[in-house]
Every structure is written in structure tokens, then in C-alpha cells.
Amino acid sequence: MSDKTMSAQDVVGRLESGMTLGIGGWGSRRKPMALVRALLRSEITDLTVVSYGGPDVGLLAAAGRIRTLVTAFVTLDSVPLEPHYRAARERGAFELREVDEAMFMWGLHAAANRLPFLPVRAGLGSDVMRDPGLRTVTSPYPDAVSGRREEFVAMPALRLDAALVHMNRADRAGNGQYLGPDPYFDDLFCEAADATYVSCERIVDTAELTKEAAPQTLLLQRSSVTGVVETPNGAHFTSCVPDYGRDEAFQRLYATTPYAEFAERFLGGGEHAYQSAVHTWRKERER
Amino acid sequence: MDATRAEYCVIACAEAWRGDGEVLASPMGLIPSVGARLARHTFSPDLLLTDGEALLVGPDGTPEGWLPYRRHLTTVTGGRRHVMMGASQIDRFGNQNIACVGDWSRPRRQLLGVRGAPVNTLNNPTSYWIPRHSPRVFVERVDLVCGVGYDRAGAAGPSATRFHRLPRVVTDLAVLDFATPDHSMRLVSVHPGVTVEQVEGATGFALAVPDEVPFTREPTAEELELIRTVIDPDGLREREVPDPRDGGTRGGGARERDVPRAGGTRGGKAPAGPGGGGR
């Protein structure tokens, strides 16, 4: 088995401007924030971002890196509206392709299964159908009761150039493990992408993965993973249970600080500088 | 012990799930959450509830099942669910908006996004909770159709109408539904202390109003006891809907007046306390 470990900087070195980038997690939950921060330190821009959006989208939108966003929402969960995303959207900073939460999932399923689309009922009658890229498809099978052939939304595949996800644990080969209550859709993001980069709280020996946790926590297979990055506290300030919960106080700071000011204080240096700056901020606050 | 306005709202929300049987109750927002758990404790004991995260839990918080987002979405499309969502705008045929105010391509105010409103409304019964009944929310036309109303579902054809149903709309003033020949919104009951004229004045379109409009029913002594001592002992409900007799300034509290607490496929955070199960 090949050793796929790399640094966050190595990951960013494999990404390019103009790519379609899927970001795992959900809202302000288990987001690959260390990889997003590394992306912010690069010059990469003009991205099509595919995400159940949280502060990952807020940061990239505020920094002007998004050309097109594909999403069903952007939220900080405990703060319903993502202020930086909101500001960027209200100034027309990027194109939005807005789909429903279920449509989004089926778009990933289609991509993971190498299908051009999958039929979904969701979307019909709603204004998501204003997207000129969305078409409908008619069932070839008449309904047993009515005899009618139902028409559905043909949700196009959300194929990704690259996916970024964050796990609780992984081995060096790319087997990824979540230990919290919800896998979200990280396996689908990986299977829908040409290249997948997994950050994790801790890289462990393969044998360690199932020593205390059940095999069904092994969400990601190494065959769909390109690189593994060890980034302790790498989902901060989003939640990464059971390793840690959301840093609500820091998230509030993020939500109430102008982006430029936040970036200057926390995003100027590398990941170590970020974690130190957060630590310093916390100490100041405790005083 | 007189019931407060918030408690009438809880009762009216709980009634949404009466007779639903063994389905997932997905309340979004505090008062619907108290209502769903009241229904579970009393007249709808077979309801399923979540902890607001990925677990199905009993009234005392005991996990009884696993419901991560992916399975939640199957519960939606399988139809064994009744959600109560918020609405930043709702129109007379039940079209709902939680995404943005103004032109979608360059919104005046970006809100939550469509979230799960399209999938919810086409697949499982969808009710609404609106904590401040006003013409800003009850509009002639919503800026963006997230949750699908009866006219738009009808126009979209049989696949859209097949499982589409909007059982009720509960507000701080009244209970409404769409049980009219053209499925336009109708006044069902007003909460004690509220007049029909008051509701009409707070609604930005013509409501169907029957000759006799009853009051929302009284809570039973058992229900009041459950609300006050078991489900919401800290009285968080009174903050979401202040009682008018307290001289509480209506509209106080929430800063983002247009923003429902949640609009997704997952329920809102439950209040703390026994059975709260909030994580």
C-alpha cells in the first residue's frame, strides 16, 4: 500500500484555479477548515465550489475565490446566516447555482456512479427550476394506478475535479474514519471526485482503526483517496465530535469581525500560526 | 392558570401532528419543537423525534434509532414524516420563501437558501410556523419559491401534486389552512385575545374567512403541566412569543426578523430539560 501522506501545502499544490472543488462536512460541522485555510494562503481562485455550505464557503467567498457556488444553503448552524457569504452574495460577487438539499445529494450520487443524471421529485414547482441547466425526465414506466408516466427533475451529476474532506482518523493509505454521529456525505464527495484529499485529526496504523471502533465507521476507502494530511484541530472552528465540539465563541468572533480584520489576525501565517493565534485569543479572553 | 399566547401556539403546533401515526415529526424552531414533543407525550405517542442531530430519541432522550442526514432525506422522500418549517415569506397558496429577499440574482437580503424546502413540500406533509404574523411575511407573491404552494404544484403536474400537502400554518395570532376549493389560505381559528380583524390586518392578501371563526382550543391541565414542568421548564417559549398581557413588545428578541430558525430537512434545536435531548 502506498504512503499517501502529504502536507496541506502539498494538497494546494495539486489544485488549480478554475477547478470544480467539492468540500465535505455540512454547515458548520466537520469541515476541512485547515485545507480551506491553506487554500486561502495560495493564489488559487476562480473556483466552482460544491458544498453544503458553512464557514468554508464564507471564507472563500469573502476572499473572492469563488466564481460559481453550487449549494442548497450556507449556514453557521448556531448562527443561522453566514455573514461573510451573505455580504458576498449581496454584492453579486459570484454566480450561485442553488439546488435543494436532496437534489445536491443525488447530484453527488450520479457523479459517484458515473451517471449523467438521477431522477428526483424535489425541485418541481419550485424556483430552483429557474436554473437553465436543469431539465426534466419522463419515466418510461407508466404508474400502475394512474397509468401516467411521471416527470421528474433530472439532477445532473456533480462531478468534481477534487474533493476536500476532514475525518477523525485515517491511515497512511487513505482509509478514512468518522467517529461522530453523522458521516454527512463525505464518501460521496470522494467518489464523485477525480482526486480526493483527506485531512484528519490523527493518522494511525491501519490496525488501530478497528481496535475500538466498529468497521462501519470506516467511511472512506483508500481507492478513492489521493492524499492524507494530518491536521490536529483541523476542522476548527466547526465541530468534529467526538474529538471536539464547535468552538462557538470563536465562531461568534468570526461572524462579527470584518473579514479583512479576521484574516489579518488569524490567516496571515501557516496552520501552526492559526492555531497559536486562536490559543492566544482564548487566553486573552479568559483574563 | 391561564395559558399564555406562547402556550396556545404550542397547542396549535402540537395539533398539526394529531393522527399522523408512526411518522417522524420534524419541528423547526422552538415552539414547534415543544409542540411536537407535547403531541408525542399525549395524543400522538407513536411519533418519532430526533435529538436535532443524528439520533432518534424517546421523550426522555433515550436513543432508539440512527438518522444521519442521508437517511433523513430518505425519510423525507419516503413520506413518513411531517415537517413544520419556518417562512420568511408565504403567499395565499402556500408558496414559501426562506432563501432571499429581492431579486434572486442579486438579492437585497440573502437569507438561508432553499435548503430542503423543495424536497419537503413535494414529498411529505409540510406545515409552517410563523412567530410574527405580519404583512411582511404574508405577502401577495413570495420573492423566491422554495417551499411549493398549491398553485405552483398544480402547474408543475401530477408528479408534483402526488404527495404534496400543506396541513396548516400556525402563527402567533392564529391557525390557518388551505381547505378551500382553490386551496387558498383560510383562517381556521384565532388565539384567545386575537380578533379576526387583527389577523386580516396582519395579512398582506385576502384570507378566506368563515362566518364563524372559533378560538384555538384551550390546553388541558395535563398539557399545561407537561409544557411548563417537563418539556420547556425554562419558559423559552415565552421569549419566542411574548404574552401580550405582559406588555411585551411584539417583535422584540429576534434581530433577524425575516429569518426562520431553520428550514432544512433536519429539525431545529430542542430546548434543554428532561426529554429535550438537545446536544
Side-chain angles (χ1 to χ4, degrees):
Chain A
M1 290 194 306
S2 54
D3 186 331
K4 295 175 185 166
T5 54
M6 57 176 73
S7 69
Q9 204 173 336
D10 293 335
V11 171
V12 170
R14 290 159 173 255
L15 304 177
E16 289 168 28
S17 292
M19 274 188 166
T20 296
L21 196 58
I23 304 179
W26 171 285
S28 190
R29 304 173 199 210
R30 203 155 43 70
K31 284 285 177 179
M33 296 298 281
L35 297 182
V36 171
R37 287 187 282 267
L39 201 53
L40 289 168
R41 290 193 296 274
S42 78
E43 299 295 312
I44 293 168
T45 189
D46 204 28
L47 294 167
T48 293
V49 172
V50 179
S51 175
Y52 284 111
D56 53 328
V57 170
L59 285 165
L60 291 168
R65 307 300 179 90
I66 302 178
R67 183 190 59 203
T68 303
L69 175 67
V70 183
T71 195
F73 58 80
V74 181
T75 180
L76 295 173
D77 292 314
S78 52
V79 180
L81 303 180
E82 216 295 350
H84 302 298
Y85 161 73
R86 233 184 133 180
R89 174 101 166 96
E90 290 170 9
R91 66 174 183 265
F94 54 85
E95 181 200 9
L96 178 63
R97 282 180 55 206
E98 188 162 18
V99 295
D100 166 89
E101 288 174 15
M103 294 171 72
F104 188 108
M105 177 181 77
W106 286 111
L108 291 178
H109 267 294
N113 289 282
R114 298 191 294 182
L115 292 168
F117 72 91
L118 278 170
V120 294
R121 197 180 301 278
L124 293 171
S126 82
D127 276 338
V128 301
M129 295 310 289
R130 297 201 302 200
D131 184 330
L134 288 176
R135 299 275 184 279
T136 59
V137 61
T138 302
S139 170
Y141 308 109
D143 181 75
V145 178
S146 67
R148 282 191 299 234
R149 292 162 191 262
E150 283 202 74
E151 188 187 27
F152 301 100
V153 176
M155 179 61 202
L158 293 173
R159 192 70 209 172
L160 311 169
D161 293 317
L164 309 177
V165 302
H166 186 78
M167 292 283 115
N168 297 96
R169 305 284 177 272
D171 66 10
R172 307 177 80 85
N175 294 303
Q177 181 174 47
Y178 80 106
L179 296 170
D182 200 320
Y184 310 122
F185 300 91
D186 289 354
D187 49 340
L188 283 179
F189 277 97
C190 296
E191 289 158 10
D194 294 339
T196 294
Y197 303 98
V198 180
S199 60
C200 64
E201 290 299 310
R202 204 144 50 80
I203 291 177
V204 298
D205 288 338
T206 306
E208 286 291 313
L209 292 169
T210 46
K211 218 168 180 178
E212 285 169 16
Q216 58 266 36
T217 58
L218 294 170
L219 187 66
L220 310 184
Q221 291 168 20
R222 59 187 168 84
S223 52
S224 55
V225 172
T226 313
V228 183
V229 184
E230 190 176 62
T231 57
N233 213 28
H236 182 269
F237 49 95
T238 69
S239 68
C240 187
V241 283
D243 292 314
Y244 46 90
R246 186 179 302 128
D247 188 340
E248 296 286 0
F250 190 83
Q251 175 163 285
R252 275 196 300 280
L253 175 80
Y254 163 78
T256 53
T257 307
Y259 176 71
E261 194 182 309
F262 180 85
E264 192 183 318
R265 177 158 185 195
F266 295 103
L267 305 174
E271 180 66 13
H272 181 73
Y274 170 81
Q275 299 289 352
S276 303
V278 171
H279 183 76
T280 305
W281 172 79
R282 196 172 293 132
K283 287 284 165 215
E284 283 172 14
R285 221 172 137 261
E286 281 164 9
R287 249 181 246 134
Chain B
M1 278 196 302
D2 282 353
T4 63
R5 179 66 57 78
E7 287 161 349
Y8 286 112
C9 293
V10 167
I11 293 297
C13 287
E15 286 289 337
W17 287 285
R18 187 185 284 275
D20 276 359
E22 204 160 24
V23 305
L24 177 67
S26 287
M28 296 181 186
L30 186 108
I31 282 181
S33 171
V34 177
R37 282 183 299 128
L38 180 66
R40 168 75 178 76
H41 270 284
T42 54
F43 49 78
S44 293
D46 292 334
L47 287 174
L48 286 80
L49 293 168
T50 77
D51 65 348
E53 290 269 338
L55 295 177
L56 290 164
V57 293
D60 63 353
T62 305
E64 61 165 327
W66 184 49
L67 200 68
Y69 281 117
R70 58 185 67 197
R71 289 182 64 175
H72 204 113
L73 286 168
T74 309
T75 304
V76 174
T77 50
R80 293 174 194 276
R81 179 177 184 253
H82 182 167
V83 61
M84 184 174 277
M85 277 193 288
S88 301
Q89 296 175 326
I90 191 165
D91 72 18
R92 64 190 290 252
F93 293 106
N95 296 294
Q96 167 251 30
N97 176 22
I98 47 173
C100 66
V101 177
D103 178 16
W104 178 84
S105 58
R106 180 80 185 266
R108 198 161 69 246
R109 283 164 60 74
Q110 173 65 38
L111 303 175
L112 294 169
V114 300
R115 295 222 60 152
V119 72
N120 287 344
T121 46
L122 258 60
N123 289 282
N124 60 206
T126 301
S127 293
Y128 291 104
W129 159 243
I130 291 155
R132 273 174 291 282
H133 194 137
S134 85
R136 286 179 50 170
V137 179
F138 287 78
V139 294
E140 196 66 53
R141 277 179 75 88
V142 299
D143 291 342
L144 194 83
V145 176
C146 303
V148 179
Y150 281 97
D151 56 339
R152 290 284 294 253
S159 293
T161 54
R162 187 167 183 182
F163 305 115
H164 177 267
R165 193 160 71 85
L166 310 179
R168 66 167 48 192
V169 179
V170 180
T171 79
D172 60 335
L173 302 181
V175 177
L176 308 108
D177 68 10
F178 301 92
T180 52
D182 66 349
H183 290 298
S184 64
M185 200 185 288
R186 176 185 80 139
L187 183 56
V188 174
S189 71
V190 291
H191 305 327
V194 178
T195 65
V196 171
E197 292 70 30
Q198 200 180 338
V199 176
E200 288 180 310
T203 305
F205 52 82
L207 273 177
V209 179
D211 294 337
E212 294 287 323
V213 178
F215 286 115
T216 304
R217 79 163 172 87
E218 294 294 325
T220 66
E222 185 207 0
E223 286 171 335
L224 271 186
E225 178 76 8
L226 280 166
I227 295 169
R228 293 176 180 179
T229 66
V230 177
I231 303 172
D232 182 25
D234 298 331
L236 298 175
R237 64 193 177 280
E238 303 297 330
R239 273 193 251 161
E240 187 162 39
V241 174
D243 197 83
R245 293 168 303 185
D246 290 347
T249 47
R250 267 170 45 84
R255 268 191 8 255
E256 295 288 355
R257 292 190 41 178
D258 291 333
V259 183
R261 278 183 57 86
T265 48
R266 178 71 56 89
K269 200 172 168 59
R279 291 185 146 227

